[in-house]
């Protein structure tokens, strides 16, 4: 029994003492006296981490009294405490490295297997650590960051660093006095005194041991505010600064103890809360404060709670809004999914449009019927709402009976229905394609309906539309509705498709506006046709340019002239898109003209000037003008060969317009004003705006030369233009009598049917690229091309269309 008790006691003692004897002790050598504030937090963190991993006694601390001891005393201390054979050693600061270095040099067998140092500044000791392969947690980058932060945070013009007489930082003076993290001067504690009026920020760079704290008393007392690198100085009245983080530094030291190498000590801004006024407001939120009073801490805590509460409420509000949006979206989808009319049980217009869109995207050919009734409104007036509902229900029954299996019936509104049906490959031969089902519907719906115990005729009208690749559901419904209106106007009760030649202007305008609004830019460019109406100088009969004429060739509605196209674009909100597309096509087309010649700088300069019709909104838009100038530069064209031609009725107030026109002229473009005779703003622009040319409307030539009032009007406009420093181009010249009259009035240039019809731009470019044959005019001796527009015999001779000599820039007659 006694043996069993002794064995149990021995096992218990071994279980307690075993971890202590088995643990590998880590030796830390620290400068200073035990109980001092120097690195106390770092040692505590190291002890906690090592004891948690290895048990009690894992960390052994040896203090160097007075900051430095002899080798013999250090050796005796380690020998007395049985620490000579320590395999893991941590050295704090330069004093510890100096003592341990001498010990290793004088005693054999005491060098540690794992060695790491912290905060060593002396270049000699840093080099020795590298030779030993020891780890080093460096404080020098933290010091430089600390100095840069203090300079920025305090805003002081000068920065003074304070060290002890034997400080290793004096050896780094060349580093500390250069760069952003520099000091303007180094002061010695105990010898120098801070200046009273130098307006400098003072930084303590010494370690806070007993001797250095006594030397720093005068500095802390007289300087007023002192920044410090080590957090232990805060108890002595220091403000703070970028200081090492003891918790992260302990973790980094233990890592370097195993792996060696060098690393920068983790650090961050840290200061006393009472001294926060010394830091600019932009940096206060990034500082960790110490010595915060309980009241301030509670207030800050409540502020944080309020901020978190506000953030939480914001998150809740956003989530509630998202839930509401999702619920509304789900409700909308459900409503659209079940978009069924309660009276007829038929789908409505939104569901029909979605079905049309699906078939258009899948490119299935189909036909759409718009069905209306002329007498249904009168029936509602005579029989009331009940009779109207009975009539609608009987119409639905017939529609379903006729279209069963071949058509999709929808209720558009009131007395309007629609039927969608897949287009058959071949009809029975008696009716046009898509009309067989329409005729069966017409025959069925034209039969009397028994409503209110009487047979009543409702007179249906059916419009037919066929699907096409470019059409939209809205356009199909509009086309079928327009065809149904034509049935009503024609008086012939037969289904019909929309006839373009019989469409009234309002219906055509609405349909074209919708088509232009939905047309993508690339499709618009494909459907636009540009032609050039030539312009000639009246003095020497040379072609001096031309005016771009725009036409829109719509695949269904035919050709749309320029004036109507401009109105359509303004109604559809696509004027800017139209002008950009026209200018791009015109510049690219004219770039290929064979008339282009290369000047000395390699820029192509077409020896004529071409007028590009644009809206005043694009002239006012500097980005449009710059984009056009850049495009000319890409194509090696001179911008001076182009004019931006605007309409007089579009002009507004002169001052904003004057700035925009000057920008156009600065970029090299001319600005022509067409149609100024009937606009007050346009007449005012003759004298105020930097225009390059004025263009008369073609209507003013109607009475020339017989109408004397028309001649007087032309002369008055000519005189006004001369006063403004501009020349006028006369348009609409159609006869030789008109040509003789305007030549006698001393106008500069003219254009019209007399000089030949306008040529398509692509034909003009292709002809010039092909290099047509050149001939010489017998009248003037100047060159002319076969493709040029020939002036008629009304000139009095047959000079042909003259072109200027090669090598010049844009021709300009009278300021053109």
């Amino acid at each position: 029994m006694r043996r069993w008790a002794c064995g149990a006691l021995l096992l218990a003692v071994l279980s307690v003492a075993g971890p202590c004897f088995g643990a590998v002790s880590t030796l830390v050598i620290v400068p200073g006296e035990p109980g001092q504030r120097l690195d106390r937090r770092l040692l505590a963190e190291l002890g906690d981490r090592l004891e948690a991993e290895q048990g009690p006694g894992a960390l052994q601390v040896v203090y160097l009294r007075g900051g430095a001891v002899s080798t013999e005393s250090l050796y005796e201390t380690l020998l007395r405490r049985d620490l000579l054979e320590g395999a893991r050693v941590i050295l704090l600061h330069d004093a510890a490295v100096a003592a341990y270095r001498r010990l290793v040099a004088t005693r054999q067998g005491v060098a540690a297997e794992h060695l790491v140092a912290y905060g060593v500044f002396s270049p000699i000791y840093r080099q020795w650590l590298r030779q030993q392969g020891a780890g080093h947690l460096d404080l020098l980058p933290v010091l430089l960051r600390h100095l840069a932060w203090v300079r920025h945070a305090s805003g002081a013009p000068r920065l003074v660093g304070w060290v002890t007489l034997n400080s290793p930082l004096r050896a780094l003076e060349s580093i500390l006095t250069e760069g952003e993290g520099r000091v303007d001067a180094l002061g010695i504690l105990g010898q120098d005194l801070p200046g009273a009026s130098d307006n400098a920020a003072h930084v303590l760079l010494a370690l806070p041991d007993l001797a250095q704290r006594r030397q720093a008393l005068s500095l802390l007392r007289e300087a007023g505010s002192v920044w410090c690198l080590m957090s232990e100085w805060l108890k002595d009245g220091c403000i703070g600064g970028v200081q090492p983080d003891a918790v992260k530094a302990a973790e980094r030291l233990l890592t370097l103890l195993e792996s060696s190498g060098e690393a920068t000590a983790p650090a961050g801004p840290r200061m006393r809360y009472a001294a926060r006024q010394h830091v600019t407001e932009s940096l206060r939120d990034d500082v960790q404060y110490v010595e915060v009073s309980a009241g301030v801490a509670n207030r800050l805590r409540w502020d944080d709670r309020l901020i978190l509460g506000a953030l939480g409420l914001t998150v809740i509000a956003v989530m509630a809004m998202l839930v509401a949006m999702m619920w509304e979206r789900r409700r909308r989808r459900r409503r659209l999914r079940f978009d069924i009319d309660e009276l007829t049980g038929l789908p409505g217009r939104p569901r029909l449009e979605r079905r049309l869109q699906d078939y258009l995207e899948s490119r299935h050919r189909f036909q759409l019927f718009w069905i209306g009734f002329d007498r249904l409104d009168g029936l509602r007036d005579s029989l009331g709402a009940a009779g109207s509902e009975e009539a609608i229900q009987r119409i639905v029954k017939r529609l379903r009976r006729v279209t069963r299996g071949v058509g999709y019936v929808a209720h558009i509104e009131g007395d309007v229905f629609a039927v969608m049906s897949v287009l058959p490959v071949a009809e029975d031969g008696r009716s046009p394609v898509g009309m067989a089902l329409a005729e069966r519907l017409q025959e069925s719906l034209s039969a009397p309906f028994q409503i209110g115990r009487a047979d009543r005729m409702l007179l249906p009208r059916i419009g037919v539309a066929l699907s096409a690749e470019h059409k939209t559901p809205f356009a199909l419904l509009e086309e079928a509705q327009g065809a149904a209106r034509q049935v009503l106007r024609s008086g012939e009760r037969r289904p019909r498709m929309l006839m373009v030649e019989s469409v009234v202007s309002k219906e055509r305008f609405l349909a074209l506006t919708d088509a232009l609004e939905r047309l993508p830019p690339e499709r618009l460019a494909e459907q636009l046709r540009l032609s050039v109406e030539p312009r000639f100088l009246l003095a020497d009969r040379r072609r001096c340019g031309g005016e771009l004429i725009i036409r829109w060739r719509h695949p269904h509605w035919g050709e749309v002239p320029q004036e109507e196209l401009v109105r359509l674009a303004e109604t559809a909100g696509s004027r800017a898109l139209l002008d950009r597309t026209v200018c791009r096509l015109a510049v690219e087309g004219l770039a290929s003209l064979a008339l282009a010649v290369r000047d000395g700088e390699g820029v192509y300069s077409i020896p004529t000037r071409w007028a590009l019709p644009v809206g005043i909104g694009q002239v006012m838009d500097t980005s449009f003008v710059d984009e056009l100038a850049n495009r000319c530069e890409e194509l090696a064209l001179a911008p001076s060969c182009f004019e931006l031609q605007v309409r007089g009725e579009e002009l507004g107030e002169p001052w904003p317009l004057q700035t925009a026109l000057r920008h156009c002229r600065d970029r090299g473009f001319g600005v022509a004003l067409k149609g100024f005779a009937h606009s007050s703003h346009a007449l005012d622009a003759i004298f105020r705006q930097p225009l390059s040319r004025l263009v008369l409307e073609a209507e003013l030539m109607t009475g020339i030369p017989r109408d004397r009032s028309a001649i007087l009007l032309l002369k008055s406009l000519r005189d006004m233009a001369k006063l403004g420093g501009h020349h006028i181009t006369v348009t609409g010249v159609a006869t030789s009598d008109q040509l003789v009259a305007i030549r006698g009035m001393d106008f500069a240039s003219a254009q019209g049917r007399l000089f030949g019809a306008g040529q398509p731009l692509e034909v003009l470019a292709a002809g010039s690229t092909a290099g047509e044959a050149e001939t010489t005019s017998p009248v003037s001796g100047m060159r002319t091309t076969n493709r040029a527009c020939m002036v008629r015999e009304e000139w009095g001779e047959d000079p042909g269309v003259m072109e200027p000599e090669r090598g010049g820039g844009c021709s300009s007659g009278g300021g053109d």
Side-chain angles (χ1 to χ4, degrees):
M1 189 68 181
R2 186 177 299 173
R3 292 179 180 178
W4 284 105
C6 293
L9 180 60
L10 180 60
L11 288 175
V13 172
L14 290 176
S15 63
V16 174
C20 298
F21 290 108
V24 179
S25 296
T26 300
L27 173 63
V28 180
I29 301 178
V30 187
E33 303 291 340
Q36 291 184 4
R37 292 195 295 267
L38 179 61
D39 295 319
R40 182 190 298 175
R41 179 74 183 279
L42 177 60
L43 293 174
E45 289 293 334
L46 288 172
D48 292 342
R49 292 176 182 271
L50 290 174
E51 289 182 3
E53 295 177 1
Q54 303 174 11
L59 182 68
Q60 299 293 328
V61 182
V62 173
Y63 291 93
L64 303 177
R65 299 179 181 275
V69 296
S70 65
T71 304
E72 293 298 330
S73 60
L74 178 60
Y75 179 77
E76 292 176 0
T77 302
L78 296 179
L79 182 61
R80 184 174 61 254
R81 298 175 60 177
D82 196 18
L83 298 175
L84 281 176
E85 297 180 358
R88 298 156 54 93
V89 177
I90 300 176
L91 306 176
L92 301 187
H93 308 296
D94 293 78
V97 176
Y100 191 77
R101 178 185 177 216
R102 290 195 299 270
L103 179 64
V104 172
T106 57
R107 300 288 183 176
Q108 298 294 329
V110 297
E113 297 179 6
H114 301 280
L115 180 65
V116 66
Y118 169 69
V120 179
F121 293 112
S122 173
I124 297 175
Y125 300 152
R126 293 164 70 94
Q127 181 65 25
W128 181 79
L129 290 173
R130 294 191 186 98
Q131 292 175 356
Q132 299 296 319
H136 181 206
L137 190 60
D138 199 357
L139 276 181
L140 182 57
V142 178
L143 173 59
L144 298 178
R145 177 187 169 194
H146 166 67
L147 295 175
W149 186 85
V150 169
R151 183 182 295 274
H152 180 57
S154 63
R158 296 181 68 249
L159 205 63
V160 180
W162 291 88
V163 297
T164 57
L165 183 61
N166 57 351
S167 173
L169 289 174
R170 299 187 63 185
L172 301 174
E173 186 173 358
S174 60
I175 299 177
L176 297 178
T177 56
E178 295 180 358
E180 184 180 0
R182 70 182 188 278
V183 294
D184 298 288
L186 279 177
I188 307 300
L189 290 175
Q191 292 184 3
D192 302 331
L193 294 177
S197 60
D198 58 355
N199 195 20
H202 300 275
V203 183
L204 262 174
L205 305 180
L207 298 179
D209 57 17
L210 288 176
Q212 295 180 6
R213 289 213 307 274
R214 283 195 296 267
Q215 295 174 359
L217 286 177
S218 60
L219 175 66
L220 294 169
R221 183 172 57 251
E222 297 178 14
S225 59
V226 179
W227 304 85
C228 52
L229 175 65
M230 306 302 292
S231 59
E232 289 82 2
W233 282 110
L234 294 174
K235 296 295 184 181
D236 295 295
C238 178
I239 295 177
V242 177
Q243 299 175 348
D245 188 339
V247 178
K248 296 180 180 179
E251 180 181 358
R252 193 72 58 85
L253 275 174
L254 295 177
T255 303
L256 293 176
L257 189 61
E258 301 295 337
S259 59
S260 70
E262 294 184 4
T264 301
R270 193 165 180 261
M271 64 182 302
R272 290 188 295 113
Y273 182 77
R276 66 187 182 280
Q277 69 274 8
H278 294 283
V279 180
T280 58
E281 292 186 3
S282 60
L283 299 178
R284 291 180 184 177
D285 293 337
D286 300 329
V287 177
Q288 178 185 359
Y289 294 104
V290 297
E291 299 181 9
V292 182
S293 62
V296 174
N298 291 332
R299 180 170 58 81
L300 294 176
R301 191 178 300 112
W302 276 107
D303 291 344
D304 294 340
R305 291 177 180 176
L306 289 176
I307 293 174
L308 291 176
L311 290 176
L313 290 176
T314 303
V315 172
I316 293 174
V318 171
M319 292 181 63
M321 184 174 63
L322 292 177
V323 170
M325 292 174 61
M326 292 176 61
W327 181 261
E328 176 63 22
R329 186 177 181 182
R330 181 180 179 184
R331 189 174 65 85
R332 189 184 300 113
R333 285 183 176 179
R334 185 180 301 173
R335 186 174 64 249
L336 292 176
R337 185 188 307 167
F338 301 103
D339 184 17
I340 303 298
D341 184 60
E342 296 180 359
L343 175 62
T344 61
L346 297 177
R349 178 165 181 159
R351 194 168 180 178
L352 173 64
E353 289 185 351
R354 290 198 303 275
R355 186 179 181 90
L356 294 174
Q357 184 64 40
D358 293 340
Y359 272 73
L360 288 171
E361 292 177 355
S362 61
R363 298 186 179 182
H364 284 94
R365 298 192 64 198
F366 61 88
Q367 53 194 348
L368 179 67
F369 308 127
W370 178 283
I371 305 173
F373 296 88
D374 295 341
R375 292 186 178 179
L376 199 56
D377 289 338
L379 188 65
R380 184 181 295 107
D381 296 336
S382 60
L383 298 181
S388 176
E389 292 179 358
E390 181 183 358
I392 290 176
Q393 291 173 353
R394 293 187 179 277
I395 291 173
V396 171
K397 288 183 179 180
R398 289 197 186 181
L399 288 174
R400 285 177 169 170
R401 183 174 66 247
V402 176
T403 61
R404 183 176 291 115
V406 295
Y408 181 82
V409 186
H411 185 204
I412 302 298
E413 59 180 3
D415 58 346
V416 178
F417 298 85
V419 175
M420 172 190 171
S421 175
V422 176
L423 195 64
V425 178
E427 298 285 357
D428 55 5
R430 295 176 299 175
S431 302
V433 175
M435 285 298 180
L437 179 59
E439 290 176 354
R440 294 202 302 271
L441 288 170
Q442 182 75 40
E443 181 181 359
S444 176
L445 298 175
S446 298
F449 289 85
Q450 187 177 4
I451 304 171
R453 298 182 181 180
D455 292 338
R456 301 181 184 274
M457 304 288 292
L458 299 183
L459 299 182
R461 60 181 186 276
I462 301 176
V464 184
L466 301 181
S467 64
E469 183 179 354
H470 66 278
K471 293 183 180 179
T472 62
F474 177 81
L476 285 171
L477 289 168
E478 289 293 316
E479 181 180 343
Q481 185 181 13
R485 292 197 190 102
Q486 292 180 2
V487 172
L488 180 63
R489 289 194 299 269
S490 66
E492 185 179 3
R493 292 289 168 177
R494 292 186 57 187
R496 65 183 297 172
M497 296 183 184
L498 185 67
M499 304 298 294
V500 177
E501 61 273 11
S502 62
V503 176
V504 296
S505 59
K506 183 177 180 180
E507 295 174 352
R508 171 186 170 88
F509 188 83
L510 292 176
L512 286 174
T513 301
D514 178 69
L516 185 61
E517 183 178 3
R518 298 171 182 268
L519 199 63
E522 57 275 7
R523 293 293 302 278
L524 177 62
E526 294 174 0
Q527 297 178 8
L528 287 179
R529 297 293 181 268
L530 302 183
S531 59
V532 180
E533 183 177 350
R535 182 173 69 252
F536 294 89
L537 292 176
L538 297 177
D540 53 6
R541 306 174 185 178
R542 285 186 303 146
R543 184 173 66 182
C544 59
E547 179 180 347
L548 270 293
I549 308 298
I550 318 167
R551 289 180 176 83
W552 180 26
R553 187 169 297 175
H554 192 273
H556 179 74
W557 298 99
E559 191 171 90
V560 180
Q562 178 172 323
E563 293 185 359
E564 184 180 1
L565 177 59
V566 171
R567 292 197 304 269
L568 291 171
E570 291 175 348
T571 305
S574 304
R575 182 64 190 276
L577 173 63
L578 175 64
D579 290 344
R580 289 178 184 272
T581 306
V582 169
C583 290
R584 177 175 60 82
L585 294 176
V587 170
E588 293 175 356
L590 293 172
S592 59
L593 286 177
L595 298 177
V597 294
R598 185 185 297 271
D599 63 10
E601 298 181 357
V603 177
Y604 285 101
S605 180
I606 303 173
T608 45
R609 178 167 286 185
W610 308 90
L612 308 178
V614 295
I616 192 63
Q618 279 58 258
V619 175
M620 300 284 288
D621 186 1
T622 58
S623 63
F624 172 82
V625 178
D626 294 338
E627 181 181 347
L628 185 59
N630 295 335
R631 185 56 180 161
C632 291
E633 182 178 355
E634 293 175 2
L635 297 174
L637 287 175
S640 57
C641 299
F642 298 97
E643 286 180 325
L644 304 180
Q645 182 170 291
V646 298
R647 301 286 302 181
E649 60 267 17
E650 297 181 358
L651 299 184
E653 295 298 327
W655 298 117
L657 179 61
Q658 189 177 56
T659 303
L661 295 187
R662 288 193 181 278
H663 180 71
C664 294
R665 301 304 300 272
D666 291 340
R667 292 309 302 264
F669 295 106
V671 181
L673 178 63
K674 184 174 184 179
F676 59 93
H678 304 290
S679 172
S680 59
H681 287 298
L683 292 174
D684 183 66
I686 297 176
F687 304 99
R688 291 178 178 269
Q689 306 299 346
L691 301 171
S692 59
R693 188 167 57 91
L694 304 176
V695 183
L696 285 179
E697 304 97 314
E699 292 81 2
L700 296 178
M701 292 298 298
T702 304
I704 303 297
R706 300 177 182 84
D707 190 348
R708 189 164 185 80
S709 60
I711 295 177
L712 292 176
L713 177 59
L714 286 181
K715 289 183 177 181
S716 62
L717 293 175
R718 177 202 62 190
D719 295 338
M720 290 178 61
K722 287 184 176 181
L723 289 175
H726 309 294
H727 90 274
I728 296 182
T729 296
V730 182
T731 62
V733 180
T735 65
S736 58
D737 292 338
Q738 293 177 343
L739 177 63
V740 172
I742 62 174
R743 291 186 67 181
M745 296 181 200
D746 196 22
F747 284 102
S749 57
Q751 63 189 55
R753 289 187 292 112
L754 179 65
F755 304 103
Q759 273 190 308
L761 184 60
E762 57 270 16
V763 175
L764 187 65
S768 63
T769 305
E772 297 172 345
E774 294 183 348
T775 60
T776 302
S777 171
V779 177
S780 61
M782 300 179 66
R783 289 179 299 174
T784 178
T785 60
N786 292 332
R787 62 165 174 78
C789 300
M790 303 299 295
V791 182
R792 300 175 185 271
E793 294 181 357
E794 284 83 353
W795 283 78
E797 46 188 304
D798 189 14
V801 179
M802 305 306 173
E803 297 182 2
E805 293 294 336
R806 298 273 183 170
C810 296
S811 299
S812 60
D816 189 13

